[in-house]
Amino acid sequence: MSGKPNLTAFFLCIAALAGNATLAGFDIFLILAVPVGLVIFLRDPRLDSGGGGFGLWLALLALVPLAMRAPEIGIPYFELYWLWPWKAALLAILLLREGEARWPFANDLLLAGFTLLLLASARIEEGRMVSLFGPNMLYRFFGTGFIIALLRLGSVSGWQARFALGFAGLSAAAMVLTGSVGALGVFAAALYFARESLWRMLRSAGAILLAAGVAMLVLNWQAVVDSNLISRVLYKIDNLDRDDRLVGWSKLAGSDPGWAGLDYRDLAFAWTARSPYPHNLPLELYVFHGLFGLLLAALVLASFWFARRTRWVFYFPLLVILIGSLFSGDLSDNFAVLAFPVVMAAQYRALARPAFPHPAPRSAPA
């Protein structure tokens, strides 16, 4: 039995992964998160529900300077850039109100269905898969499905295990087709966090399926090497000194934003037509928000590191977004990453251990 789906958790996951994408001119995150928030608060209207106390309010207070500063930066390419601190705060509060953030197997089925929807509407443009989202957003959905499916392998058997393995394989192939370099980081993270699930599978009959998958990769190694993803990585390595993004990083790192940060026009020397923003979350926080932003970037990375043993399901989509934020996008895309240190500050003792906030049921990811 797959159990009933947790729709609030599912839609919060999709909302976070959607970043700054819009539908008919409306922000997809707000389209999903606001109704979810109403459901959560109508279910339990107590303001103190979800815990957090002083840690929560202190963490939210740290977002206030960012919210005040964002409209002043003068981002010319996206008029709703200023929304990201508010969206990060809203996501953090809703994640805390979700409490256990139960993610039953039925949610895996929903996520797989959404993946099939993305694939059904997909097409290849300039060698990269696009769908309802561009390739640098699209792989985040596939990467989240890949990690959750591998984690699920550690706690299911029978048809559910076969489904999880098939979902992981489909998500992995779809990630490769997006050609996004961040997919390599997601693959590495998935192998690390799902190592126990994979080891359990190697000691079961599922090892035959896993061996078959590895054999297919070996037999088709040339196709893998020639894939757009590997080709783009090799191209970037061969042209490191001419890569717009890397050259821009070098220029931005050499700037002196002080405590307050610099405006977009002050950094015109670093922007190019192909790279009009930092494409790196810590660097973006540093140049636009100064040393305060650099401190927050360090806290963001530290929060993910300290919670690395958790099995709180929302850690993983947020981790996928974090990995992508080191290579692509800006904070209007990657705002969800800033929600995690807020949740961490509110629930440190629960989130820093392998279960949040209660031991995971057998049907949850390992």
Side-chain angles (χ1 to χ4, degrees):
M1 296 293 292
S2 58
K4 294 181 178 179
N6 183 353
L7 294 179
T8 54
F10 174 75
F11 285 122
L12 276 182
C13 178
I14 298 300
L17 293 170
N20 64 2
T22 59
L23 179 65
F26 294 96
D27 186 278
I28 290 178
F29 171 81
L30 295 178
I31 290 175
L32 295 175
V34 171
V36 165
L38 290 175
V39 170
I40 291 174
F41 278 91
L42 287 174
R43 189 170 60 200
D44 184 356
R46 293 175 300 169
L47 293 177
D48 61 343
S49 179
F54 178 74
L56 170 62
W57 295 111
L58 181 64
L60 289 175
L61 188 63
L63 293 177
V64 171
L66 303 178
M68 296 175 62
R69 170 76 179 134
E72 300 175 354
I73 295 172
I75 299 294
Y77 54 82
F78 186 53
E79 62 182 10
L80 296 179
Y81 178 88
W82 61 273
L83 267 177
W84 77 259
W86 301 99
K87 291 163 67 175
L90 175 59
L91 178 61
I93 292 172
L94 294 182
L95 289 178
L96 284 170
R97 289 300 300 265
E98 263 295 86
E100 299 179 27
R102 184 179 58 87
W103 189 273
F105 186 79
N107 278 35
D108 290 15
L109 299 177
L110 287 176
L111 189 57
F114 188 74
T115 298
L116 291 176
L117 173 64
L118 293 176
L119 292 175
S121 58
R123 61 191 182 278
I124 301 297
E125 293 184 358
E126 299 181 356
R128 305 182 68 185
M129 180 192 287
V130 299
S131 181
L132 303 179
F133 306 92
N136 291 334
M137 296 287 288
L138 194 57
Y139 88 93
R140 304 195 322 192
F141 293 92
F142 300 145
T144 298
F146 181 64
I147 292 181
I148 288 178
L150 289 185
L151 288 170
R152 181 71 74 184
L153 284 172
S155 60
V156 294
S157 59
W159 75 268
Q160 292 183 337
R162 291 190 291 273
F163 169 86
L165 187 61
F167 185 24
L170 179 65
S171 300
M175 264 198 297
V176 171
L177 290 175
T178 66
S180 293
V181 176
L184 295 179
V186 175
F187 280 126
L191 292 177
Y192 171 77
F193 286 103
R195 62 192 184 279
E196 293 181 5
S197 295
L198 292 172
W199 176 242
R200 179 178 181 267
M201 184 178 177
L202 284 173
R203 294 179 295 167
S204 69
I208 299 175
L209 294 176
L210 188 61
V214 172
M216 289 181 62
L217 289 177
V218 172
L219 293 173
N220 295 277
W221 66 271
Q222 190 61 53
V224 175
V225 172
D226 293 339
S227 68
N228 189 275
L229 173 59
I230 302 302
S231 298
R232 293 185 74 238
V233 171
L234 294 176
Y235 177 83
K236 287 179 179 292
I237 293 175
D238 291 339
N239 296 273
L240 287 177
D241 58 335
R242 290 176 291 176
D243 186 271
D244 283 1
R245 206 166 295 186
L246 294 179
V247 172
W249 288 353
S250 177
K251 292 179 179 179
L252 292 173
S255 63
D256 183 14
W259 278 101
L262 297 170
D263 293 342
Y264 185 87
R265 64 179 179 274
D266 297 329
L267 298 164
F269 61 88
W271 312 132
T272 66
R274 295 184 60 186
S275 185
Y277 44 86
H279 284 290
N280 179 273
L281 182 141
L283 198 55
E284 181 177 357
L285 284 171
Y286 173 59
V287 296
F288 289 151
H289 300 277
L291 296 177
F292 173 72
L294 185 62
L295 175 61
L296 283 181
L299 290 175
V300 168
L301 297 176
S303 68
F304 277 91
W305 171 256
F306 285 123
R308 65 190 182 279
R309 294 179 62 242
T310 188
R311 286 298 179 266
W312 180 52
V313 72
F314 270 101
Y315 177 87
F316 300 102
L318 298 183
L319 177 67
V320 169
I321 298 172
L322 173 66
I323 292 170
S325 75
L326 302 179
F327 304 99
S328 181
D330 63 12
L331 278 162
S332 68
D333 288 319
N334 303 316
F335 69 90
V337 171
L338 269 292
F340 186 73
V342 176
V343 176
M344 185 72 172
Q347 293 284 357
Y348 172 77
R349 291 185 178 181
L351 198 56
R353 62 176 185 258
F356 173 74
H358 301 298
R362 183 171 177 75
S363 61

